[in-house]
Amino acid sequence: CGGPRCSITEASLRALPPFLTTLDIAECADIHDFAPLAGLTSLTSLNLGGCRISAEQLLQVCKGCPLTSLDVSCSSVNDTTLVLISALLPRLLDLDLRDCIDLGDAGVRAISDNCSRLLHLELRGCYGISRNMVDHVTGTLPVCKVEF
């Protein structure tokens, strides 16, 4: 799914089975209400890359779902949101933040400090993150592959 041909609608989200474990709705620009995702209590992998999800809705989803893989690339995620995500999802294994231009060091520090199981962190295109912070992440999480 995703891109200009995305046929997923908000009605489709409401009809998803609660036992769903993986969902990729990247670039589904016509979706504005992501609240139904918070009811997917078995969801462990979610791709929202390029979606216009608000911080409030994203945090609701993170509260409701036991996510271990999250892609919010090309989104408006900022440090404040990322700090909260790190507290809600300490078992994250994979996090894609590619091209999140509102991110800085504080959010990434929270991820490295709170998500000790992280194996992959995508930071390409996050120009507000310093090389020192990338070094901090690799020092704190030596098994984590950081792409910067």
Side-chain angles (χ1 to χ4, degrees), residues 40-58:
L40 301 176
T41 57
S42 297
L43 193 65
T44 58
S45 179
L46 179 59
N47 185 343
L48 294 170
C51 291
R52 294 183 207 133
I53 186 169
S54 70
E56 180 182 339
Q57 287 189 26
L58 179 57

Side-chain angles (χ1 to χ4, degrees), residues 6 14 23 31 41 45 48-49 53 67 80-81 86 104 107 110 115 117 126 132 140 142 146:
C6 182
R14 288 188 294 275
L23 182 61
I31 299 174
T41 57
S45 179
L48 294 170
I53 186 169
L67 297 172
T80 303
T81 305
S86 76
C115 302
R117 298 179 182 189
C126 299
N132 286 342
T140 305
V146 179

Side-chain angles (χ1 to χ4, degrees), residues 76-98:
S76 60
V77 169
N78 60 26
D79 285 333
T80 303
T81 305
L82 201 54
V83 167
L84 295 169
I85 289 172
S86 76
L88 292 168
L89 300 175
R91 294 186 173 163
L92 268 180
L93 301 173
D94 182 35
L95 180 59
D96 190 336
L97 300 169
R98 184 176 14 95

Side-chain angles (χ1 to χ4, degrees), residues 1-2 8 22-28 45-49:
C1 179
I8 301 290
T22 302
L23 182 61
D24 182 347
I25 54 173
E27 298 180 24
C28 289
S45 179
L46 179 59
N47 185 343
L48 294 170

